[in-house]
C-alpha cells in the first residue's frame, strides 16, 4: 500500500531512460541509475527484458547503492541483453511500503507503472573515450612562464624571470623551454601536457589569436612543435593544445578584413556585427567574448565557412604536429552542433585524441558522448576549495558535492575528467588555503586517488604561489633551492602510487566513511580483486581511525608510509595525522 | 529555516538547465520550468542576469504555475536577456519555509544554492519547427486500402473491396485513388496527409522496401506522386512520406547481393551479419526488425555508405516530388547521430519540411531540437485510450498523464505533435471503446482542442471499425449510405472550429478543472486576447457545470452548438451531456 510516507519517497525518485541515468557502457550493456530519498528504501530491483519479448521472460537483478548525497541515495546496476533492446521497470522495497516505478510513474502494480525503454544500443551513439585517460596525469603549462629555452625568439622589453607578472608583461617562456624541461616532467611522473594557447597572438596568454596556423614566433614554429610532440611521445607524454574557437583576436585576418571593408567584406558573416563600419567606442558594435572585450570578437560558428575554417584547424594540428587532443576555451558558449562536427573531425583524424571542454558548471549537455570526452572539472575544484582550502563546508557536504558531480555524468566522462585544484584562471590552491601546505598536500592526495585524471598546474608541485590572474601566472622557479623539495617529493610519491595502482586509475568508486563529527572521509576504489581504501582526516589534529572494510582481508599496506597493517575482523586501526590522509592497498 | 516539511519539498524539486526544463524559444528568450511537490509552495521567483554581470544587477521575475500532475506542480517563466547568456537561481516561497535553489542544490542563502547556467543561446542550436504545424490537421492514409483510382495497376488476385483484410491480401488502393478523393479530404478540412510507405515492396503495408527510389507499381509511379503532391498543394494540403530506414526488405538489392555473394559482397557491412552464407533457418544469422523477422534485415546506419544512401533518398523525394516531410518508422532503434544528419539534410533541402518519429514512449532524447520536430503522440493516445475508451482511469490520472507528457518536451515539439487516437498499428478507437460512439466523439473533441496536430486515421471519421492489424486496415467505405453521416458532420464541425480559432491552434494550454468526483475536465487555450475554454463531462449522464473563469468576460459562445452564454461574476453555468464536451469562445 502507498502510505503517506511512501508518497514522499515517490516524489524523490529520479530516473530518466537517457543522459547520466541510463547509458550504454558496452555493446550489450546498459548502465542504469536511480535516485531515491536517502535511507528510505531497503532494496531496489530491476525487472528487464528484450522489448519484443513478453514480460514473463523478464530477468530480475538487484541494484547496488553506489553512493549518496545529503538528500538522496543513488542505486546503480548494469543490464546485459544480447539483443540490445531494453525495457525495464523498478521494484522499490521501501522501509514503509513497496512500489513499482516505470515510465508512467509510481504505482502499486507493474502494469500501471509501465516500462522504461532504452530502445537499442547503437554503435554509432556509444560514448567512448580514449583508453589512455585512465592512466593520465596532466600537467598544465602556461608557456610564456614555464621555461625560456631559446633567447633568440624573446619578445622585446622582457621582464626579468621571477618578476611580478602583470597583465601585459612578457618573460620569454617558449616551446624550446618545455622541450628542455621534459626530463623534469618525466621525472615528476606526468604523462599528459596541456598547453594554454600557442598560436600567434599579441598577448602573453594568447587567447586573442591572430593566426591559428602559426605558432607564436616568441614560442617557436612548426618545427619546434613537431620536436616537442616527438620528444614528448618518446617519453610517453601526450600533448594537448588549447582551441580558442569562441572568439578570435581583433587582429585575426577575417576581422581585420571587416574592419577595412565593412559591409563589403566577404567575412562580415563570420562575426556578430550590429552595424558598419566597425567601431569600438563608446562600446563595440560587434559581439565579443564576455561584455565588450574589444580585442576578442566572437566568432559566428553558425556560419558554415567559419565552421569549416575552424574544423580544418582542428584537423591540421593533429595531422601536422601529431598532437593528442584539444582543450576547448569558453566551450559552453559555442553551439552544440559545432562541437558535434568538431568531435567527428578530431576523432576521424586521430581516434585516440582527447576533447576537453572548459565548463565551470554542470556540463551534462556537452558530455552525452557526441561532443566532448571530458571537461575541466571545476565542480571538483570548487568542492576541494570549500572543504580543504577554505574549510567553509564539512565532510558531509564535501562528499555530497563529489557524489552529485559524479552522478551528473556518464562514467566514461567521469574517468576522463581533468581534476584540478587550480589553473591559470584561479588563484593558486596554496593561496586559497592561506598558505597551508598541509591543505595543499591533502588536496593533492584527493586528486591523485579520485576518479579521473589529476591535473597539476605548473609549479604547484614545488609550492609556487599566486593570487588571481595575473599573479597565478608567475615564472616557474627553476632554482632548486627556491623550490619546496618536500612538496615535490610528496607529489612524485603520490604520482608513482597512482600509476602503479589499477584500483586508483581504473577502479570503481564508492564512499566508505563520511564522519561529520570527526571530519573523516574515506572511499574505496576497486578494480577486479585489487582494492585501494583512501581515508583522510580533515581536522588539524591526529586521529586514530577504525576503518571498517566491506570485504575480507588479512593485511593492508599503507602506500605513502610503506607501513603494513593487520586487518582484524574486517577492521584496520590506523592513526592519521592532522590534515592528512592514507592509502591502504589490498 | 529549513524544517522537516521543507526538506520533503526539496527532495521533490526537479530542475536542470537543459532539456525540457530550460530551452530557448526565441533569440533572446529562455523558457524555464521547475517541478515541485504539489501544493507545497506559494510562489516561485527567479533571479537572473547576464553571466558576466554582478549579481547586484539581477532581475527578479515570478514564475507561473502552468500545470500539475498527481504529485507535482510545474512552474514556468520566460527569461529575456539581450546578451543571451543566462545565470539564474530560484527563490521558493514554501508553505512552511523559504529556500533558494540553484546548481548546488537547496540552501538557506543564495550563495550556497549557486546559480544555474544557460551559457549562451546559439542560433545553430535553436529548436524551430515549421510554422505551419500549428494549423495542421493530419489525415493518415494506408494507401492500399483508401481508394482504387487506377484499375490498370492492380495486383493480381485482388480481394473484393470491403472484404476482410488479411495479413497478405490486396485490395488495389493506390495514389490515383487518393488524388481522386482529394475533394473529399478538402471538404473534411484536413491539410496534411501522412501516407504509410509507398515504395516498391511485396507486402500490402510496404514496410519491407525493395526499392526506395521507386513508387510501388501497384500504387503508381513518380508522375503519380508528383501529381498527388501538386494537386494536394493546390488545395493547401501537405504530403508526408514514411521513411523506413531501420530496416529494408529482404529483396532490397544490397541484401540480395549479400545473399548471393556472401562475404565477398561489397554490401556485407550494410547489415548486421553474424556469419556467411546468409541463412534464415532455424533462425536468421543476421539482425532483423524485432526478433527474427527474416523479411526485414536491419540496416547498419553506423556505416557511412548506408547513411549516405539513406540521406540521398530523404533528399531525393523532397527535391523530385516536393513532399513536405518524413515520418520515421521504428525511429527509436536507429542511432541519434544518423537522425542528426537526417535533419540537416532534410531541412537543407526544404526548410519547412516536417520530421516526425515513430516513438511510443518518452521521446525526449529525440526531441532536443537536433533530430525530430515531433513524434506520433502515443502517450496522448494511451491516456485517451485509458480514460475515454476503457474508463480504466479517472480524470485526475488522465489530466496528470497529459501534463507529464507535455512537460517531458520542449514546447516547439508539443505544438508539432501528431495527436492520434488510433493508427494502422492499433485497433480502431471505436473498437477500444466497445463501439461507443459518444466515446469516439469525446476523443475527437479532445484531439481537436489540444496542443499539437490532431491526426485522423482514415475512416475513423465515418465510423469505420477494426481490431488490431490486419483488421484495422479495412478498405475505406465510400458508399455514403454505409458511412456514419452524423459522425462525419461532427468531425467536420470540430475541424472547422479548430481552424477558425487561434486559441485552439496557437494558444498556450492551462488546466482549469480536474474534478475527480464528477469526472469533469476543463482547460483553457489562450492566444493573445483570444481564449477558448474546453470542458468535458466523462460521466454518461448530463451534468450542469459552473465554469469559474480565471479572467473577466461578459459572454461566451459555445462553438459546437452555437449557443451564447452569459458570464456572471466570472462563472458560466452550462449543461453538458453525458460523455460530451463544450468549447466556449471568449
Amino acid at each position: 500500500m502507498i502510505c503517506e510516507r511512501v508518497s514522499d519517497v515517490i516524489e524523490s525518485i529520479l530516473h530518466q531512460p537517457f543522459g547520466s541515468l541510463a547509458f550504454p557502457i558496452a555493446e550489450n550493456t546498459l548502465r542504469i541509475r536511480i535516485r531515491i530519498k536517502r535511507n528510505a528504501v531497503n532494496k531496489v530491483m530491476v525487472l528487464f527484458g528484450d522489448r519484443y519479448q513478453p514480460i514473463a521472460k523478464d530477468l530480475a537483478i538487484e541494484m547496488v547503492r553506489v553512493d549518496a548525497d545529503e538528500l538522496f541515495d543513488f542505486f546503480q546496476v548494469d543490464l546485459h541483453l544480447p539483443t540490445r533492446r531494453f525495457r525495464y521497470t523498478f521494484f522499490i522495497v521501501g522501509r514503509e511500503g513497496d512500489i513499482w516505478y516505470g515510465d508512467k510513474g509510481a504505482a502499486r502494480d507493474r502494469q500501471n507503472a509501465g516500462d522504461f525503454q532504452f530502445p537499442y544500443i547503437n554503435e554509432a551513439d556509444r560514448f567512448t573515450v580514449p583508453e589512455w585517460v585512465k592512466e593520465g596525469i596532466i600537467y598544465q603549462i602556461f608557456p610564456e612562464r614555464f621555461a625560456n629555452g631559446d633567447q633568440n625568439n624573446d619578445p622585446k622589453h622582457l621582464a626579468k624571470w621571477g618578476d611580478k607578472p602583470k597583465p601585459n608583461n612578457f618573460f620569454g617562456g617558449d616551446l624550446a623551454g618545455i622541450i628542455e624541461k621534459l626530463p623534469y616532467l618525466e621525472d615528476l611522473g606526468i604523462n599528459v601536457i596541456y598547453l594554454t594557447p600557442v598560436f600567434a597572438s599579441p598577448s602573453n596568454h594568447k587567447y586573442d589569436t591572430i593566426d591559428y596556423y602559426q605558432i607564436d614566433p616568441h614560442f617557436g614554429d612548426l618545427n619546434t612543435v613537431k620536436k616537442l610532440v616527438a620528444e614528448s611521445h618518446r617519453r610517453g607524454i601526450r600533448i594537448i593544445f588549447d582551441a580558442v574557437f569562441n572568439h578570435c583576436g581583433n587582429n585575426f585576418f577575417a576581422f581585420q578584413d571587416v574592419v577595412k571593408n565593412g559591409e563589403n567584406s566577404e567575412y562580415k558573416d563570420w562575426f556578430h556585427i550590429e552595424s558598419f563600419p566597425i567601431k569600438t567606442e563608446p562600446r563595440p558594435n560587434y559581439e565579443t567574448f564576455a561584455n565588450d572585450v574589444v580585442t576578442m570578437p566572437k566568432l559566428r560558428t553558425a556560419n558554415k565557412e567559419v565552421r569549416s575554417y575552424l574544423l580544418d584547424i582542428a584537423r591540421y594540428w593533429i595531422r601536422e604536429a601529431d598532437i593528442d587532443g584539444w582543450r576547448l576555451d569558453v566551450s559552453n558558449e559555442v553551439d552544440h552542433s559545432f562541437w558535434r562536427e568538431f568531435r567527428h573531425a578530431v576523432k576521424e583524424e586521430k581516434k585516440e585524441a582527447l576533447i576537453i571542454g572548459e565548463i565551470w558548471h554542470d556540463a551534462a549537455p556537452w558530455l552525452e558522448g557526441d561532443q566532448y570526452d571530458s571537461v575541466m572539472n571545476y565542480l571538483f575544484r570548487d568542492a576541494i576549495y570549500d572543504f580543504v582550502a577554505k574549510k567553509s563546508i564539512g565532510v558531509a557536504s564535501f562528499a555530497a558535492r563529489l557524489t552529485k558531480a559524479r552522478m551528473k555524468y556518464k562514467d566514461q566522462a567521469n574517468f576522463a575528467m581533468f581534476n584540478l585544484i587550480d589553473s591559470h584562471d584561479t588563484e593558486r590552491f596554496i593561496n586559497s588555503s592561506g598558505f597551508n601546505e598541509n591543505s595543499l598536500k591533502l588536496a593533492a592526495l584527493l586528486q591523485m586517488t579520485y576518479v579521473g585524471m589529476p591535473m597539476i598546474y605548473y609549479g604547484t608541485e614545488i609550492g609556487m604561489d599566486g593570487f588571481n590572474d595575473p599573479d597565478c601566472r608567475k615564472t616557474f622557479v627553476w632554482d632548486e633551492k627556491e623550490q619546496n623539495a618536500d612538496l615535490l617529493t610528496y607529489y612524485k610519491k603520490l604520482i608513482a602510487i597512482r600509476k602503479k595502482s589499477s584500483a586508483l586509475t581504473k577502479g570503481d568508486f564508492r564512499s566508505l566513511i563520511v564522519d561529520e563529527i570527526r571530519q573523516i572521509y574515506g572511499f574505496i576504489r576497486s578494480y577486479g580483486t585489487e582494492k585501494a581504501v583512501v581515508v583522510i582526516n580533515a581536522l588539524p589534529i591526529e586521529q586514530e581511525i577504525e576503518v571498517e572494510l566491506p570485504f575480507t582481508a588479512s593485511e593492508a599496506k599503507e602506500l605513502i608510509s610503506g607501513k603494513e597493517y593487520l586487518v582484524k575482523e574486517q577492521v584496520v586501526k590506523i592513526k592519521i595525522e592532522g590534515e592528512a590522509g592514507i592509502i591502504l592497498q589490498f
Side-chain angles (χ1 to χ4, degrees), chain A residues 5-204:
Chain A
R5 275 293 291 153
V6 177
S7 154
D8 287 346
V9 173
I10 292 170
E11 288 153 9
S12 76
I13 300 173
L14 182 63
H15 180 77
Q16 292 172 320
F18 49 84
S20 65
L21 297 170
F23 55 97
I25 55 162
E27 201 186 342
N28 303 303
T29 309
L30 182 68
R31 176 162 293 174
I32 57 172
R33 296 172 177 160
I34 191 168
R35 190 201 78 177
I36 308 180
K37 185 185 176 111
R38 191 162 174 176
N39 293 328
V41 304
N42 292 320
K43 187 154 97 165
V44 182
M45 302 292 299
V46 180
L47 276 85
F48 72 105
D50 178 287
R51 298 173 60 236
Y52 294 93
Q53 296 280 1
I55 282 177
K57 289 197 173 182
D58 274 8
L59 302 165
I61 189 167
E62 184 172 351
M63 300 189 83
V64 178
R65 180 185 164 286
V66 289
D67 232 310
D69 65 17
E70 307 100 326
L71 299 173
F72 304 106
D73 284 325
F74 293 88
F75 294 85
Q76 180 175 300
V77 76
D78 295 341
L79 309 180
H80 305 271
L81 264 194
T83 60
R84 305 196 274 271
R85 295 178 299 231
F86 295 82
R87 174 177 47 66
Y88 58 94
T89 311
F90 299 94
F91 183 70
I92 299 169
V93 181
R95 300 264 156 99
E96 307 187 32
D98 304 339
I99 39 168
W100 290 92
Y101 191 78
D103 74 337
K104 291 182 194 164
R108 290 186 184 81
D109 51 73
R110 179 168 179 177
Q111 199 176 332
N112 284 318
D115 291 291
F116 288 106
Q117 313 269 340
F118 195 96
Y120 193 90
I121 297 182
N122 273 294
E123 55 185 308
D125 289 335
R126 266 187 57 212
F127 185 11
T128 55
V129 301
E131 199 50 42
W132 60 260
V133 299
K134 291 190 175 166
E135 318 268 357
I137 297 176
I138 306 151
Y139 195 80
Q140 179 188 357
I141 292 177
F142 190 87
E144 226 277 314
R145 307 292 156 78
F146 185 61
N148 187 350
D150 181 358
Q151 270 77 30
N152 297 321
N153 64 20
D154 285 356
K156 282 177 205 165
H157 313 299
L158 218 57
K160 204 180 134 222
W161 199 264
D163 271 4
K164 204 174 161 52
K166 293 179 190 162
N168 300 310
N169 65 359
F170 289 85
F171 291 88
D174 53 26
L175 301 185
I178 302 174
I179 297 170
E180 192 183 299
K181 299 301 184 185
L182 284 174
Y184 168 80
L185 297 174
E186 189 179 10
D187 185 49
L188 176 60
I190 63 94
N191 50 28
V192 182
I193 295 172
Y194 148 45
L195 295 171
T196 58
V198 296
F199 304 140
S201 137
S203 64
N204 53 36

Side-chain angles (χ1 to χ4, degrees), chain A residues 478-489:
Chain A
W478 287 111
D479 181 348
E480 288 185 11
K481 295 191 297 288
E482 304 277 309
Q483 296 178 349
N484 182 332
D486 169 59
L487 187 63
L488 181 57
T489 305

Side-chain angles (χ1 to χ4, degrees), chain A residues 179-240:
Chain A
I179 297 170
E180 192 183 299
K181 299 301 184 185
L182 284 174
Y184 168 80
L185 297 174
E186 189 179 10
D187 185 49
L188 176 60
I190 63 94
N191 50 28
V192 182
I193 295 172
Y194 148 45
L195 295 171
T196 58
V198 296
F199 304 140
S201 137
S203 64
N204 53 36
H205 53 70
K206 316 233 170 281
Y207 281 101
D208 49 348
T209 317
I210 292 179
D211 185 350
Y212 291 93
Y213 282 104
Q214 199 200 347
I215 298 297
D216 190 278
H218 301 305
F219 281 1
D221 58 20
L222 179 58
N223 284 329
T224 337
V225 167
K226 282 185 176 176
K227 191 174 165 200
L228 169 64
V229 175
E231 290 283 313
S232 298
H233 284 179
R234 206 168 55 76
R235 296 167 192 270
I237 295 173
R238 289 185 167 80
I239 301 286
I240 310 280

